[in-house]
Amino acid sequence: MKIALITGAGGLIGSEAVEFFADKFDLVVGIDNNLRRYFFGEQASTDWNRARLQNTFANYRHHAADIRDVEALGDIFREYGADIALVVHTAAQPSHDWAAREPFTDFTVNANGTLNLLEMTRQHCPEAVFIFTSTNKVYGDNPNFLPLVELETRWEIDERHPYFAHGIDEQMSIDHTTHSLFGASKVAADVLVQEYGRYFGMKTAVFRGGCLTGPRHSGAQLHGFLSYLMKCALTGQHYTVFGYKGKQVRDNIHSHDLVNMFWHFYQAPRPGGQVYNAGGGRFANCSMQEAIALCETITGNKMNYSYSEQNRVGDHIWYVSDVRRFEQHYPTWRFEYGLTATLTQIFNELRERQPA
């Protein structure tokens, strides 16, 4: 039997991975205890998504385990053993602001949880491919010291800079910078995944995501930028723009395109704890102002929003991922979803889930 094990299976990337791999593996095992509800409230619960997966895929088996509980993880890994061919680790505490409220919780989920999963993989299925969803926040606020230019609706990097054409590559330093506590816990996890690949020779890969997005996101104010923005545009709920004149730029990658990256790596894993920047790049990026305008166009509603001068600690002014390293290693991979298509999908999904 060939098994894919996916953590954070009820979340955006985890549920996309379940759908993507369901017809490619004999069994897909999900681990998710809906800690997102604890982080962000009832509106961010992933119960609906977990139930959808269980009702849709006959070869999906769910475990409501906490990745901080190494004994519970050990029971799961022992049950499936060496049949586990792929581990996709997407479970996390994902918010800058929330991390500062409970540093112990943030670090134990993001860092200790990742260590637990790496060690369980090494002990029970060392030949499995291990894929980790990291974040561009491991670079801290180093991107903010690039030569940025203010345009009418966005910040942009000076066109003479090497990053202008394709975005920020994996050589940017992750050191001597303000990360936020969330960024620091993800750095610890990121480096652990690399080290298990280099030190133990495991097939590990780190994908440093830009803004990860798609229709299955349970967006909340503190996490899920485009999903929450579209929810506010649809419902009339108030939205707050934090700092940088609303001109801060993010690149946005659809969950399907990211999971397709995982699939390409799984089929031909490269040794040495690989690291890839994984965002929308120059293909799909927008400023907050531009995203609001696009949401208003798609919904036909004028958004109810206000502006706060106070930016979030460690937040990026301009971030666009250079994905060429992955494209060079896996030249048949392609983006499939642009920004308008992604936001339209989110809009349609939210209307179905919240028709009122």
Side-chain angles (χ1 to χ4, degrees), residues 20-176:
F20 193 100
F21 295 123
D23 65 352
K24 298 174 177 65
F25 288 80
D26 300 306
L27 182 67
V28 178
V29 174
I31 298 176
D32 196 320
N33 64 338
N34 197 14
L35 205 55
R36 190 176 177 87
R37 176 195 281 156
Y38 173 73
F39 297 147
F40 307 127
E42 189 60 40
Q43 79 280 3
S45 171
T46 58
D47 273 347
W48 67 273
N49 210 6
R50 184 261 313 148
R52 182 184 65 84
L53 296 174
Q54 290 179 305
N55 292 331
T56 304
F57 301 102
N59 65 333
Y60 176 69
R61 190 178 300 172
H62 190 85
H63 293 265
D66 191 316
I67 62 170
R68 294 171 293 180
D69 186 346
V70 71
E71 292 185 7
L73 289 181
D75 291 340
I76 294 168
F77 275 82
R78 275 189 292 272
E79 179 178 354
Y80 302 109
D83 286 343
I84 299 172
L86 171 65
V87 176
V88 178
H89 176 30
T90 78
Q93 190 298 110
S95 166
H96 289 267
D97 301 316
W98 198 96
R101 298 178 187 174
E102 294 189 27
F104 282 119
T105 305
D106 173 76
F107 195 86
T108 53
V109 169
N110 288 348
N112 295 57
T114 301
L115 176 60
N116 291 342
L117 287 156
L118 285 163
E119 190 58 20
M120 290 302 97
T121 301
R122 186 172 77 92
Q123 290 181 21
H124 299 284
C125 49
E127 294 304 311
V129 171
F130 188 103
I131 287 171
F132 174 59
T133 48
S134 186
T135 171
N136 59 20
K137 300 305 184 292
V138 300
Y139 298 118
D141 62 357
N142 276 329
N144 293 351
F145 299 100
L146 294 169
L148 300 177
V149 179
E150 184 179 357
L151 303 180
E152 184 178 356
T153 62
R154 63 159 51 202
W155 292 95
E156 186 54 83
I157 193 168
D158 190 301
E159 62 183 14
R160 294 166 295 185
H161 195 276
Y163 287 160
F164 178 78
H166 302 287
I168 294 168
D169 64 26
E170 295 84 357
Q171 298 307 308
M172 173 168 274
S173 174
I174 66 172
D175 204 0
H176 303 295

Side-chain angles (χ1 to χ4, degrees), residues 53 56 84 103 105 148 159 215 232 273 306 321 325 327 342-343:
L53 296 174
T56 304
I84 299 172
T105 305
L148 300 177
E159 62 183 14
C232 291
S306 62
S321 307
R325 185 168 191 269
E327 290 174 326
T342 299
L343 276 169

